Amino acid sequence: MTVRVRTTLVAATAVALAAALAAPAFAAGSAEGGHDATRRAVEAAVKDGVPGVTLTAKDGHGTWRTTAGVGNLRTGAQRSTEDRYRVGSITKTFVATVLLQLEAEGRLSLDDTVEKWLPGVVDGNGHDGSTMTVRQLLNHTSGVFNYTADETFGRTYFLKDGFFEHRYDTKSPEQLVAIAMAHKPDFAPGTSWNYSNTNYVLAGMVIEKVTGRTYAEEIRRRVIDPLHLDATSVPGTRVTVPQPSSRAYSKLAETATGPTYDVTKLNPSLASSAGEMISDSADLNRFYRALLRGDLLPAKQLKEMKTTVSAEEYPNAGYGLGLIDRELSCGVHVWGHDGGIHGSNSVAATTADGRHSVALNFNGDWSGDSDAVLEAEFCGK
């Protein structure tokens, strides 16, 4: 849900698993583009403690796929290049795309207040929906408190005892927003930046209010079906990940030195429109390539999506409307998003022209350097 499964209660520190758990990487497809550095970065993530990695890159030379490590710690089965996985906050780009399509159709304005569409919802402890806009939800400048930073929520869903008792709970968007409203805002709307999953729960609610259909239905009919994203889904309350898929693992603790737990099954309604989606690497590449090439949005809306604000959480990066612009060490700019949810860390990044893209997933949430993988793929180091 957050960019890298971070809460006030969960520390993402590196831990090494036994070397016996790391299976050798393999590749398929064209290697003419030169992905040796990427392969090494993926293998390094496994050495750092990630159980397994799956990655697909696409460029002018074709499609290249690789895996490393294992998809199942109990059986030792390798990860698959066709694995489906929980993509966490990558969901946010899909949500923002739908809202921008609605703006292009004249059905809303990004400068509409949140109160206009969700009267009385953003209210309490200084929160006021009439002082913030839909645009500010999408670029995280609304100041709305992040519900996943609530300590009770963290104990209930991110630590071992709470998770295993509550992993199948269903949470409505209204319940998630209510958690945020019990806190003071982080700042006055438009005066600063802070990543808040509550922003995108509200964005999903706005989609439903404007269209009369759930955000999930709108994503399916506007994005998933037209692009034939056959591995992509919005699971709602479904607790399983469709096959083919690997297991997902977490420490469920404040440190990363204890036991490892299988957290594959959970009710993703706790992430809602901030991070519940499932996809695979090929579909994510197809989605971001289509988006950046202008296949999903008119030029005006794509420009709005790519208009960024400073985001301290991302070094050398800016945050647009559900889209991150990251400048790599070699000067290349890539656009995409990160996504974290229990046992799953994912990254998708594509050049502005849509010609070179990569999407990857770690099936553990406590270690591994995905930034190093991006540097390797786009900068060759």
Side-chain angles (χ1 to χ4, degrees):
M1 296 174 298
T2 57
V3 178
R4 288 189 184 85
V5 188
R6 283 168 288 196
T7 72
T8 55
L9 297 171
V10 180
T13 54
V15 64
L17 296 180
L21 296 178
F26 72 95
S30 171
E32 295 175 13
H35 301 278
D36 290 346
T38 307
R39 188 199 309 275
R40 290 192 297 271
V42 165
E43 292 170 344
V46 173
K47 290 178 182 177
D48 189 40
V50 176
V53 184
T54 183
L55 176 149
T56 298
K58 189 172 180 63
D59 59 20
H61 297 284
T63 299
W64 181 82
R65 304 176 179 90
T66 192
T67 68
V70 296
N72 188 313
L73 292 174
R74 182 178 58 83
T75 67
Q78 292 188 7
R79 295 214 64 176
S80 166
T81 57
E82 297 181 355
D83 268 356
R84 301 179 184 190
Y85 46 81
R86 301 189 190 278
V87 303
S89 285
I90 290 173
T91 302
K92 291 177 171 67
T93 313
F94 287 81
V95 171
T97 299
V98 170
L99 278 168
L100 284 159
Q101 288 180 344
L102 292 170
E103 184 196 49
E105 295 163 9
R107 301 177 68 178
L108 61 74
S109 167
L110 293 185
D111 296 318
D112 288 342
T113 66
V114 176
E115 181 71 11
K116 174 179 179 178
W117 294 107
L118 304 174
V121 173
V122 180
D123 182 42
N125 288 305
H127 287 97
D128 183 354
S130 69
T131 65
M132 65 189 64
T133 65
V134 174
R135 186 189 307 276
Q136 290 169 336
L137 297 180
L138 298 184
N139 66 13
H140 295 295
T141 61
S142 73
V144 171
F145 183 83
N146 180 13
Y147 75 90
T148 60
D150 176 85
E151 291 193 6
T152 299
F153 187 91
R155 285 194 300 271
T156 303
Y157 295 104
F158 290 101
L159 296 183
K160 179 176 70 72
D161 291 344
F163 175 79
F164 285 115
E165 181 178 352
H166 295 283
R167 69 196 299 183
Y168 300 128
D169 289 359
T170 294
K171 305 295 287 187
S172 70
E174 291 78 9
Q175 288 175 313
L176 300 178
V177 173
I179 293 170
M181 295 303 103
H183 296 265
K184 294 184 181 302
D186 293 324
F187 47 81
T191 63
S192 188
W193 187 92
N194 188 52
Y195 193 90
S196 174
N197 289 297
T198 314
N199 284 322
Y200 274 78
V201 176
L202 291 166
M205 294 169 71
V206 170
I207 290 172
E208 183 166 0
K209 193 62 177 285
V210 173
T211 66
R213 289 181 286 266
T214 66
Y215 95 93
E217 292 175 295
E218 289 297 311
I219 285 177
R220 276 192 289 268
R221 72 187 200 90
R222 290 172 174 270
V223 181
I224 293 174
D225 291 345
L227 294 182
H228 305 289
L229 304 180
D230 297 333
T232 302
S233 59
V234 188
T237 59
R238 188 183 70 225
V239 302
T240 57
V241 179
Q243 293 295 318
S245 59
S246 294
R247 310 304 294 178
Y249 298 98
S250 180
K251 296 297 182 182
L252 296 176
E254 296 181 34
T255 66
T257 57
T260 299
Y261 300 99
D262 186 322
V263 295
T264 309
K265 290 185 178 180
L266 60 84
N267 185 330
S269 66
L270 64 88
S272 186
S273 47
E276 74 170 90
M277 289 181 67
I278 292 169
S279 190
D280 72 359
S281 296
D283 271 12
L284 291 179
N285 284 336
R286 188 178 305 121
F287 166 62
Y288 280 102
R289 289 163 70 90
L291 177 64
L292 290 162
R293 286 175 168 175
D295 296 341
L296 294 172
L297 294 174
K300 178 179 182 291
Q301 276 68 38
L302 184 56
K303 182 179 179 180
E304 288 188 283
M305 190 179 222
K306 295 173 70 176
T307 300
T308 63
V309 295
S310 177
E312 293 182 3
E313 189 167 348
Y314 303 98
N316 304 313
Y319 200 95
L321 305 183
L323 195 64
I324 301 167
D325 171 24
R326 194 183 328 236
E327 183 178 6
L328 303 177
S329 64
C330 56
V332 172
H333 280 256
V334 292
W335 297 82
H337 213 287
D338 302 356
I341 193 169
H342 302 70
S344 181
N345 273 334
S346 308
V347 179
T350 301
T351 53
D353 60 7
R355 298 179 69 179
H356 187 178
S357 60
V358 66
L360 64 108
N361 173 259
F362 297 164
N363 65 336
D365 60 25
W366 65 90
S367 65
D369 187 352
S370 58
D371 289 343
V373 180
L374 295 186
E375 287 282 338
E377 176 60 25
F378 292 101
C379 298
K381 59 182 180 181

